[in-house]
Structure formats: C-alpha cells, structure tokens
Amino acid sequence: MTLAVSSPDLTTLLSTGPFPAALRAAIQASGLSLDRVQHRLRARGATVSVATLSNWQSGRRQPERDDSFVVLGHLEAVLGLPEAALRMLVGPPRPRGRHAMAPVATPTVEQLWSRRDLLGTLLSTVDTSSDELLTRLSQHDLVEVGRDGRQQSLRVKQVLRADADGADRWLVVYDPRHPRGAAADLVPLRHCRLGNLAVHPDTGLMAAELLFDEPLSRGETVMMEFEIISPAGAPPRHGDLFCRKFRRPVRDYLAEIRFHPEALPQRAYQVTSPLASPTGTRRRALTVSAAGSVHATAQDVGPGTLAIRWDGIPHP
C-alpha cells in the first residue's frame, strides 16, 4: 500500500513534528486501526503491542530502544511514509525514575571540544569567570556560505541575563576547522568590545573575551552582537557543518544558514546531541527555502550540541 502524503496537516507535521501528532495523523490518513497496523507489522517480522502504538501516538511514551526504532522503520513502510520520516521526529530519551529530576551537570568549556589540551592552554590567558554568572535567554546564529561553498562569516546576536553582580564579559571559543588552521577575525558589533584574545598558531583555535559596555548587576540583561569572519584566501570548508556547542541551556535558539544562489545544497539536516545522553542524537530533515536559506530552532537546548549539516553543493 502507498499512502499519498497530500494532506496539508500531515505534510506539515512530518516536517515540523511533534512525533506523536505526526504519527497520529499518519495512522488516521492510512485508514487503518491500531489492530490492523499491528497485524501488518507482525507480517513484516516487527513485534509491538497495540498499547505501545497507542502510547506513541498519544505522547505518553516514545520509541527509545534500538528495537523500537527498528519497529518504527517498518511502521513508516506500513503507513506509506518516506524513509526516516517518523524516526527523525523522535526527541531525546526521557529521564526515568530517580534520574527524572536529577539536574544535568554543567560541563567545563573544554569538555565540549575535541582539542581539549590546546583549548585549556588558550583559556588560561582569558577571564572565564563571568560565564558561570550568565543565563542565556536567546541566541541567533547566522552563517553566510559563499559561492565556493566556504563559510564566510558567522554573526551572533544574543540576550544574556546576569545571575549575580559583576558579570562583565562573554567568552567566545571558535574552531575554524580549516585544514591549515587559518585564524578568523572576531569583530564586536553592538554593546561589546574586544578584550583578551588567544589563538593557537597551527590550528586557528580561538578563545577570546567580549567585554560588555558596563558590568551587569544581578537581574540586568544585555543584548550583544558580534561577527566571526573567515580570513581571505582560507581553504574552503566543504562537506559541511555548522555546530553550536551549549555549555549551559539556552531558552530560545535559532540557527540560520544563508547560501549563495550558486551554492544551494541538495539536502540539509538538523542534528541534536544532548550531552547527558550520548545515544540520544536525533536527526531531522530541513527545508532549503526558495530564498536559499535553511534554519533550525530549539527551546531550552543544552548542555550539548545542535548542528546543521548539508551536502550536495555544486563546487566550482
């Protein structure tokens, strides 16, 4: 059986989620009862109870174990959905039992990066004390990709709130990921100025301070904006990935990639990896707009990473 995925509601839900609503709409569109869905799954060698299917579509439970994702793959086929259409909508595993209320430990800055030893040396030359005192209210990352597929710039706009008196700077860590380690330029734009900056000469790995206009009192907020510009002549970054690392949670996050009209990717994906659950990485397809951009949003994200991957850019 092939389901014509033409319902605007179902099409939208398969693109945006959430998982329970998308599954419920797909089952309704198929015209099958849960009993019949279970029967067709069993015929494909996939065993799952009607109660489990009911819990999945109501949101009381979600697939989390490997065998559940195998069943979900068969379920997509039974419902006539594109491959991975439902699997990409499943959220990270939910904490259970006594761990459900346990807070996620805040990692050190170095724990989020692969070049930990190098970064530790750089961090010893900058003041990181304010990082503990700031609540991340919102953050917007805008990446510009040029005609050659190279990430030309990253513009960051964010709103921070001080949890204690004295917070006076924001810590920037940036890895250019260029084969020859070309350093990027850090440019303060609004309500901040450059403080200490350290760059590793061989890798281009950067740690820097952006100083606020004034030290903050507890409860005060600051809106700041800065840009990281790739150096002229730097080796292109193909292949390709933008990854935001979250040491502490951000309430509202938006990542946007804007592509040159002659460098539009064929595919793009959002990849979310919570630090507390290494096996909880989830991927969902993103749509490249007619204007040549793609974006991903998240609420209360972190600690962990959120990345946008893309491929299929025609290179000159």
Side-chain angles (χ1 to χ4, degrees), residues 40-80:
R40 295 194 180 193
L41 288 171
R42 188 183 299 122
R44 298 174 63 92
T47 302
V48 65
S49 69
V50 171
T52 295
L53 292 173
S54 177
N55 285 333
W56 286 355
Q57 71 169 356
S58 69
R60 289 188 294 269
R61 297 284 187 273
Q62 67 175 12
E64 292 185 354
R65 299 190 307 272
D66 290 344
D67 56 350
S68 295
F69 279 94
V70 172
V71 170
L72 200 53
H74 288 290
L75 182 57
E76 290 161 351
V78 166
L79 298 177

Side-chain angles (χ1 to χ4, degrees), residues 63 76-77 90 95 101 111 127 149 152 161 184 197 239 253 300 306:
E76 290 161 351
V90 179
M101 299 303 293
Q111 282 179 288
D127 184 347
Q152 296 180 327
R161 186 184 66 211
L197 180 147
Y253 178 65
D300 298 315
L306 187 151

Side-chain angles (χ1 to χ4, degrees), residues 109 117 281 302:
V109 178
D117 292 341
T281 297

Side-chain angles (χ1 to χ4, degrees), residues 208-221:
E209 306 164 356
L210 288 177
L211 308 179
F212 304 150
D213 293 338
E214 300 289 343
L216 302 178
S217 299
R218 181 178 180 180
E220 281 191 309
T221 58

Side-chain angles (χ1 to χ4, degrees), residues 35-295:
D35 287 332
R36 294 304 301 165
V37 170
Q38 182 200 37
H39 175 78
R40 295 194 180 193
L41 288 171
R42 188 183 299 122
R44 298 174 63 92
T47 302
V48 65
S49 69
V50 171
T52 295
L53 292 173
S54 177
N55 285 333
W56 286 355
Q57 71 169 356
S58 69
R60 289 188 294 269
R61 297 284 187 273
Q62 67 175 12
E64 292 185 354
R65 299 190 307 272
D66 290 344
D67 56 350
S68 295
F69 279 94
V70 172
V71 170
L72 200 53
H74 288 290
L75 182 57
E76 290 161 351
V78 166
L79 298 177
L81 300 176
E83 184 179 356
L86 293 174
R87 281 169 285 179
M88 288 191 295
L89 298 176
V90 179
R94 300 170 180 171
R96 299 184 182 278
R98 63 186 178 89
H99 300 290
M101 299 303 293
V104 177
T106 300
T108 65
V109 178
E110 296 94 320
Q111 282 179 288
L112 294 171
W113 298 84
S114 58
R115 309 185 203 226
R116 296 181 184 180
D117 292 341
L118 295 182
L119 180 57
T121 300
L122 299 179
L123 290 174
S124 68
T125 67
V126 299
D127 184 347
T128 64
S129 59
S130 290
D131 201 58
E132 302 287 345
L133 308 179
L134 296 167
T135 291
R136 287 73 161 158
L137 297 179
S138 68
Q139 187 169 52
H140 177 196
D141 290 332
L142 172 61
V143 176
E144 297 279 359
V145 175
R147 181 181 180 182
D148 60 358
R150 182 171 64 93
Q151 294 182 35
Q152 296 180 327
S153 65
L154 163 63
R155 180 171 291 210
V156 180
K157 181 186 295 184
Q158 58 191 13
V159 180
L160 308 166
R161 186 184 66 211
D163 297 329
D165 294 342
D168 64 353
R169 68 197 65 202
W170 175 252
L171 173 65
V172 176
V173 176
Y174 183 74
D175 187 346
R177 293 180 58 241
H178 292 305
R180 293 192 293 276
D185 295 321
L186 175 59
V187 182
L189 296 176
R190 299 180 65 193
H191 305 304
C192 60
R193 65 188 187 278
L194 188 61
N196 292 325
L197 180 147
V199 178
H200 188 268
D202 296 327
T203 65
L205 184 65
M206 172 198 298
E209 306 164 356
L210 288 177
L211 308 179
F212 304 150
D213 293 338
E214 300 289 343
L216 302 178
S217 299
R218 181 178 180 180
E220 281 191 309
T221 58
V222 60
M223 190 285 290
M224 61 180 298
E225 190 171 358
F226 61 93
E227 190 169 21
I228 298 175
I229 302 174
S230 297
R237 292 174 62 181
H238 295 321
D240 215 329
L241 166 75
F242 171 73
C243 181
R244 167 59 69 179
K245 300 177 186 292
F246 302 99
R247 179 172 176 263
R248 301 182 68 189
V250 175
R251 290 192 181 178
D252 291 289
Y253 178 65
L254 167 64
E256 180 182 5
I257 316 294
R258 194 153 57 195
F259 298 93
H260 187 279
E262 297 180 23
L264 299 182
Q266 295 179 5
R267 293 166 295 276
Y269 306 92
Q270 174 182 330
V271 184
T272 307
S273 300
L275 191 66
S277 178
T279 61
T281 297
R282 295 289 179 264
R283 187 180 81 161
R284 64 183 296 261
L286 300 174
T287 300
V288 181
S289 73
S293 67
V294 64
H295 73 275

